Amino acid sequence: MPISSTDVSLPDIRVTDVDSVLVDMPVKRPHQHAKIGMRQQSYLLVQVRTDAGIEGIGEIATAGGPWWSGDSVESVKATIDSYLGPALIGESATHVVRTMQKLDKVAALNWFAKAGLEMALYDIAGKALSCPVHVLLGGQTRSSVPVTWPLGSGDAAQEVDEAIARIETGFSRSFKIKMGSLPVEQDMHRAVEIAQKLHDRAELRVDLNAAWTESVAQRHLPALVDAGISLIEQPIERWNVEGHARLARRLNAPLMADESLATTRDAVSIASAGNAFQVFALKLMKSGGFNACREIAAIASAHGIGVFGGCFLESSIGTAANLQLGAALGDLTWGSEWIGPAWLSDDLAVEPVRYEQFEARVPNGPGLGVELDRDKLAHYRRDKQPRVAIR
Ligand code: MN
């Protein structure tokens, strides 16, 4: 559509090239989820180039492989290289919703791939208009976001020490205990020990990653609440929303939906299912990007459900994208876990995301607000280094 001379000039920039690169990044310590442990973190970096000479960056991250949603950085690369990337050529980088609707016709589902591409389009649009992405998402409601730090080594004494170090350096005073990989009794003992040692210094949460059965959760979750745990994330299977509702009725702490919630349709189903979850974990990756997360946040708000900024341990590229979303949300009651850059022992941005006073700072440069470090990309790209086992 031609733009008349009386219109404010938003240039209709077109995509000319889409490139994707797998990178494997070193981390400061292994991280244990319910089903797998991570000894490194892999990303798919997407570079979207345009006829205006502006390049947008997108980063796709998973929870260390396909165990979480079925998506892996390798499967996302195949989908982007063969289908979504070619479909993007010639499309508008600045009319983002329209372009993403075209991609929905090319590939069903594939939220992680679409989130990475939408991220790159918003980066381009922000750079073209010399504004941070949060301006395009409705403007800034906050300049920093509180962070909760995950405790995932499985060794309570080490985890207490790690938490105290994070409190004393002003990084975080909220912690999320990753549970579900140990036998139930041992895991309970560990979580209660951490809670007893930290309860007067920190806010504590747990994430089960859907590892427990409903009966195990019925039996053990009340003791976690009694120990001072203030938020319980996804204790049982993703499909079992009614089971979460039964748990919620017996608990004096909110339940948070993570695996159970990806699409806006999921958000509507959960919100209509009788108070199953009182908090939604928003994640760009699992839902397909900024616009889907804003729609889910609106559904949450309309139902009195709180929101939390979830993550897949992104580098400063993906974390900057998370922070652009967080900057523009009306409500972010439960803060975020946007701590990937502090878990990595190196980063992919020239200037990594900054943390101050228990919060992550929203980058305010154009687009995502961070610049890809091309030397680091060259150093860590998988096709230039020997393969390291994921687990
Ligand atoms: Mn989770």
Side-chain angles (χ1 to χ4, degrees):
M1 191 187 300
I3 294 172
S4 84
S5 59
T6 56
D7 287 336
V8 175
S9 61
L10 171 61
D12 189 8
I13 295 171
R14 297 282 162 162
V15 174
T16 55
D17 182 45
V18 179
D19 196 15
S20 75
V21 181
L22 289 167
V23 297
D24 298 313
M25 298 294 293
V27 300
K28 287 176 186 154
R29 62 145 171 81
H31 188 61
Q32 189 66 44
H33 295 281
K35 292 171 187 153
I36 68 144
M38 299 171 74
R39 299 185 172 281
Q40 62 168 26
Q41 174 63 313
S42 300
Y43 302 106
L44 183 68
L45 262 289
V46 183
Q47 293 164 280
V48 176
R49 301 186 185 94
T50 62
D51 56 9
I54 298 172
E55 180 185 281
I57 309 296
E59 178 187 283
I60 290 103
T62 72
W67 69 274
W68 198 92
S69 69
D71 297 88
S72 64
V73 288
E74 295 83 3
S75 73
V76 171
K77 179 169 172 54
T79 302
I80 288 178
D81 289 354
S82 298
Y83 298 100
L84 295 175
L88 208 49
I89 308 294
E91 296 298 336
S92 171
T94 43
H95 295 73
V96 177
V97 172
R98 192 180 77 198
T99 296
M100 295 309 296
Q101 285 172 333
K102 291 190 175 168
L103 296 190
D104 284 338
K105 292 180 184 164
V106 174
L109 307 173
N110 279 285
W111 310 121
F112 285 63
K114 289 170 185 171
L117 293 172
E118 195 219 41
M119 190 186 298
L121 297 180
Y122 269 109
D123 190 31
I124 293 165
K127 286 169 176 169
L129 294 165
S130 297
C131 68
V133 168
H134 61 67
V135 171
L136 306 176
L137 302 177
Q140 191 165 18
T141 55
R142 59 185 67 77
S143 58
S144 61
V145 177
V147 291
T148 191
W149 178 258
L151 298 173
S153 77
D155 172 352
Q158 183 280 329
E159 288 165 317
V160 168
D161 289 346
E162 183 175 324
I164 289 171
R166 288 283 165 192
I167 296 167
E168 288 179 349
T169 55
F171 185 90
S172 178
R173 51 192 165 198
S174 170
F175 300 93
K176 168 161 137 177
I177 305 168
K178 297 293 290 187
M179 295 181 71
S181 70
L182 298 174
V184 174
E185 303 288 342
Q186 188 184 340
D187 220 8
M188 282 297 298
H189 193 268
R190 162 185 166 243
V192 170
E193 183 181 338
I194 294 170
Q196 283 170 348
K197 296 211 168 119
L198 293 176
H199 78 277
D200 54 351
R201 303 184 67 178
E203 192 228 0
L204 293 164
R205 311 163 174 198
V206 296
D207 183 5
L208 276 301
N209 282 119
W212 283 359
T213 62
E214 185 177 345
S215 61
V216 168
Q218 286 283 12
R219 179 165 173 203
H220 290 286
L221 290 182
L224 288 179
V225 178
D226 290 345
I229 301 298
S230 61
L231 180 66
I232 295 161
E233 182 172 343
Q234 195 74 41
I236 64 177
E237 288 279 17
R238 69 182 71 212
W239 54 266
N240 197 357
V241 174
E242 289 179 5
H244 283 95
R246 287 187 287 271
L247 291 171
R249 283 198 283 276
R250 290 192 43 192
L251 289 171
N252 291 320
L255 291 178
M256 179 157 76
D258 189 9
E259 280 89 337
S260 290
L261 171 69
T263 64
T264 52
R265 183 62 234 173
D266 294 336
V268 169
S269 301
I270 291 171
S272 331
N275 208 22
F277 294 98
Q278 296 72 50
V279 185
F280 282 176
L282 302 179
K283 293 180 175 175
L284 293 175
M285 289 292 124
K286 70 178 182 181
S287 299
F290 294 109
N291 287 318
C293 283
R294 292 174 73 223
E295 289 169 8
I296 291 168
I299 294 165
S301 171
H303 289 85
I305 293 170
V307 298
F308 168 71
C311 81
F312 286 100
L313 297 166
E314 290 86 351
S315 83
S316 281
I317 306 289
T319 300
N322 290 334
L323 285 162
Q324 296 298 332
L325 172 70
L329 289 173
D331 171 67
L332 194 51
T333 317
W334 290 89
S336 80
E337 57 186 1
W338 294 332
I339 51 72
W343 173 63
L344 297 175
S345 51
D346 201 355
D347 211 319
L348 291 166
V350 174
E351 284 192 42
V353 165
R354 288 187 298 122
Y355 295 87
E356 290 168 7
Q357 303 269 338
F358 309 103
E359 304 205 346
R361 304 287 307 173
V362 176
N364 265 318
L368 299 177
V370 284
E371 187 188 341
L372 177 65
D373 187 325
R374 286 164 206 285
D375 294 336
K376 296 281 179 65
L377 180 65
H379 181 75
Y380 289 112
R381 56 188 297 158
R382 184 177 294 177
D383 55 12
K384 297 285 162 57
Q385 63 178 338
R387 185 83 182 89
V388 181
I390 284 175
R391 61 181 100 161

